[in-house]
């Protein structure tokens, strides 16, 4: 059984990245340390990865101990003059973090869409030429001065 560690403002793990999700640890996060290679994971990331280490080739695994029930801390009342301090939650911190991997993925998808569009137009142009000129199927009226069949002939 693995015991989770809660990150505090004085924790040596503060600001380090989770081995699975690559998000930095923040105060209040619960972290599990792999018994094999000592890599650190958020507890939810450890569980999401099948209660095993996310590091390539590491065989570390183990269940996380159930947290002991604690008494809820009384929340201070907010007044109109003094609002409660707000700290962004993990989802908000993650949403602001847009790394190189996500940027490269978006650029790759955009390039793939452009190539797909060009490829589809090229296939349509070839099929149109074959139906009109080769097979003699006049399914549409050829445009006067159309340059497309000349381009297709030039490419062939």
């Amino acid at each position: 059984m693995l015991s989770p560690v809660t990150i505090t403002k004085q924790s040596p793990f503060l600001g380090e990245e989770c081995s699975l999700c690559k998000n930095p640890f923040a105060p209040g996060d619960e972290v599990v340390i792999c018994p094999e290679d000592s890599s650190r994971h958020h507890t939810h990331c450890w569980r999401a990865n099948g209660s095993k280490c996310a590091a390539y080739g590491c065989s570390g695994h183990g269940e996380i101990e159930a947290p002991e029930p604690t008494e809820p801390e009384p929340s201070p009342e907010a007044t109109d003059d003094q609002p409660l301090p707000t700290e962004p939650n993990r989802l908000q911190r993650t949403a602001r973090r847009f790394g190189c991997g996500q940027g490269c993925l978006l650029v790759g998808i955009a390039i793939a869409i452009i190539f797909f569009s060009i490829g589809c137009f090229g296939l349509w142009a070839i099929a149109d030429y074959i139906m009109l000129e080769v097979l003699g199927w006049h399914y549409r009226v050829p445009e006067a001065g159309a340059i497309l069949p000349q381009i297709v002939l030039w490419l062939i």
Side-chain angles (χ1 to χ4, degrees):
M1 293 294 265
L2 301 173
S3 298
V5 176
T6 302
I7 301 293
T8 63
K9 290 183 180 181
Q10 293 81 22
S11 175
F13 304 138
L14 185 65
E16 289 186 13
E17 292 183 345
C18 172
S19 294
L20 183 66
C21 70
K22 305 300 182 200
N23 287 323
F25 298 126
D29 288 348
E30 286 191 344
V31 176
V32 175
I33 301 171
C34 175
E36 294 291 320
D37 67 353
S38 299
S39 61
R40 276 129 343 248
H41 306 74
H42 292 107
T43 54
H44 61 274
C45 291
W46 182 267
R47 287 186 183 110
N49 198 40
S51 295
K52 60 184 179 186
C53 185
Y56 181 75
C58 181
S59 60
H61 64 281
E63 294 297 322
I64 300 173
E65 291 179 357
E68 296 180 10
T70 58
E71 294 181 20
E73 295 181 17
S75 61
E77 295 292 325
T79 62
D80 292 336
D81 298 337
Q82 189 179 24
L84 287 174
T86 59
E87 182 178 331
N89 63 23
R90 181 173 297 138
L91 182 61
Q92 290 169 337
R93 289 191 314 263
T94 304
R96 280 188 259 140
R97 183 180 171 133
F98 190 74
C100 179
Q102 290 92 351
C104 291
L105 178 66
L106 289 177
V107 169
I109 290 172
I111 290 172
I113 290 171
I114 290 169
F115 282 148
F116 181 75
S117 300
I118 292 170
C120 286
F121 176 75
L123 291 175
W124 171 83
I126 293 170
D128 183 61
Y129 174 77
I130 290 172
M131 286 191 286
L132 285 176
E133 302 297 328
V134 176
L135 299 175
W137 297 348
H138 297 286
Y139 71 97
R140 66 171 182 84
V141 177
E143 297 175 17
I147 195 167
L148 191 59
Q150 295 168 359
I151 293 173
V152 172
L153 283 176
W154 180 74
L155 290 174
I156 297 175

